[in-house]
Amino acid sequence: MSGSGGRETISAVERQQPLLLGLVVFLFFAWGFATVLIDTLVPKLKGLFSLSYAQVMLTQFSFFLGYFVFSIPSGFLLSRIGYIRGAVLGLVVMACGCLLFIPAAMLALFPPFLLALFVMAAGITLLQVVANPFIAELGPVSSSHSRLTLAQAFNSLGTTIGPWVGAVLILRTGVALHAHNMTAAALAAARRSEAHSVQLPFVIIAVALVALAIAFWFFRRSAAPPVSAQMARLSALWALRDQPRLILGTLAIFLYVGAEVSIGSVMTNYLMQSSVLGWPAERAGKLVSLYWGGAMVGRFIGAFVLRRVRPGVVLAFCAICTTLLALTSSLTTGEVAAGSLIAVGLFNSIMFPTIFALASENLGTETPNGSALLVMGIVGGAIIPVITGAIADRTSLATALIVPTLCYTWILVYGWLTANGLGGEMRGSSDAAAALR
């Protein structure tokens, strides 16, 4: 009888795994879609509240600050409540952040939008902490990398579709608010009217997230995999200072995310300039999809190349390409400037996972703590865009592209150092390919 009962339990788990796998894969799509909508928010909020580039980049600051604040607490939380309840909580928090766009639009003030983004980031951080190890546990170890690659493909699909949808829903009425000769009451009314277009896509996302949370809740008593990974400890992070590949890799993650987010944030305004394409906001915003779509294509190409070429060499090559493309865009005009900046996305594709894999090599039992440190490096998405915006305010958007150019230059150095054995012997290039995200 006990043997029969065991077989029934195994059968139940096997039946549940495809359903759970599908739900977890959709998590990757959902946070990718929501994250890139911020790129569409930047030009809209800039025009709506008459902000400088430095001021409007506080949107990215508020969002990516969440990664720094919530990454380690999310690890602690996951160890206490498990994967499924962690996913439910992350979805609910993210949905709450999306719904905060409603009062933000009603108030038509900039700070409430920043609060909404910060709360959204708290939920997304928990979802990322949950989803990456969870999907690896949902099936045989031998196929864990293929499941993660599938999930990351859906994440890239979300980042590709998001800017197009955002351009249609948020930018269709343009970005300029003609406030001249308006009374204070008329200006407030005009801002409330335009702010409604900002809230719509986030309200739709919130509804989808709540439905997804309910679906996960039905699995709360299922035989979900236990949380077996060692959780990161804040006190242990200082002990990692003697790991040069990790420390320099954290700096590379910081600069990479900052460069990627800076380019995505300014791209719509950049393409709208008469010296580049001179296109209206909605049309220019749709082209941001090509930037993120290039990253999706590059991941598939990178997965093939990284099986044959050392990851440090591939990283250095891609960094050379992004450096030259960003510099070319900065120094040219018209279609060349537009095309070269959009093409940066193709070579961005392998950078995050390759840096992550290289930086966390040979850490042994300290791998969870090293991973936490690397995730905290994502806060570069909060800092670098503000610097880029400040330079754009004092000079021009073209000149401000020197900031991501310098970021990519360091990544080139890091790739070269790791290719030449920085911090010990490297594992095979297949490890970086397996970590591709």
Side-chain angles (χ1 to χ4, degrees), residues 37-327:
L37 280 182
I38 303 172
D39 292 346
T40 311
L41 273 180
V42 168
K44 186 69 174 183
L45 294 179
K46 183 180 186 301
L48 188 60
F49 297 108
S50 302
L51 303 172
S52 68
Y53 283 109
Q55 289 171 330
V56 78
M57 286 302 183
L58 290 175
T59 55
Q60 301 289 13
F61 179 86
S62 299
F63 183 80
F64 283 95
L65 183 65
Y67 282 92
F68 182 81
V69 173
F70 297 112
S71 59
I72 291 179
S74 292
F76 294 149
L77 192 60
L78 175 60
S79 66
R80 295 184 65 88
I81 65 177
Y83 289 120
I84 292 180
R85 286 178 170 79
V88 172
L89 181 60
L91 286 164
V92 170
V93 172
M94 185 179 170
C96 288
C98 291
L99 291 175
L100 283 175
F101 276 82
I102 297 176
M106 293 175 62
L107 293 171
L109 297 172
F110 186 49
F113 285 104
L114 301 183
L115 175 62
L117 290 169
F118 186 71
V119 175
M120 256 183 66
I124 291 176
T125 302
L126 179 55
L127 289 178
Q128 292 217 35
V129 169
V130 168
N132 284 287
F134 191 13
I135 202 166
E137 296 284 348
L138 286 173
V141 175
S142 59
S143 59
S144 62
H145 298 318
S146 65
R147 291 193 299 276
L148 184 56
T149 299
L150 172 67
Q152 291 297 339
F154 273 85
N155 179 265
S156 294
L157 179 63
T159 60
T160 301
I161 295 174
W164 183 278
V165 175
V168 172
L169 295 179
I170 296 176
L171 301 180
R172 66 181 185 276
T173 58
V175 296
L177 187 65
H178 303 290
H180 300 295
N181 301 321
M182 277 191 181
T183 64
L187 178 59
R191 282 176 171 167
R192 282 193 295 271
S193 176
E194 286 294 319
H196 281 295
S197 65
V198 174
Q199 74 177 16
L200 178 59
F202 290 95
V203 172
I204 294 172
I205 292 171
V207 173
L209 293 174
V210 170
L212 190 58
I214 293 171
F216 268 106
W217 185 249
F218 284 125
F219 287 93
R220 68 188 183 280
R221 292 189 177 89
S222 67
V227 179
S228 58
Q230 175 189 349
M231 289 298 108
R233 293 175 289 108
L234 189 61
S235 60
L237 296 180
W238 177 248
L240 297 173
R241 66 189 183 279
D242 294 327
Q243 300 284 347
R245 181 178 290 195
L246 174 65
I247 299 303
L248 297 180
T250 301
L251 176 59
I253 288 286
F254 179 94
L255 295 174
Y256 163 71
V257 175
E260 178 190 52
V261 171
S262 294
I263 291 175
S265 299
V266 305
M267 185 170 289
T268 299
N269 287 105
Y270 185 71
L271 299 177
M272 288 170 60
Q273 294 181 126
S274 58
S275 60
V276 184
L277 293 180
W279 286 4
E282 180 179 350
R283 191 180 178 191
K286 289 177 178 178
L287 283 184
V288 181
S289 290
L290 297 180
Y291 173 69
W292 294 105
M296 179 175 64
V297 172
R299 283 174 174 169
F300 289 106
I301 297 173
F304 174 81
V305 173
L306 283 164
R307 290 190 178 94
R308 292 158 177 81
V309 184
R310 287 183 298 165
V313 174
V314 178
L315 179 63
F317 172 77
C318 288
I320 290 173
C321 293
T322 53
T323 301
L324 293 177
L325 286 168
L327 188 61

Side-chain angles (χ1 to χ4, degrees), residues 361-386:
E361 283 180 342
N362 303 321
L363 291 180
T365 58
E366 293 300 323
T367 297
N369 299 312
S371 296
L373 188 64
L374 289 166
V375 169
M376 291 174 71
I378 294 175
V379 75
I383 307 299
I384 303 298
V386 175

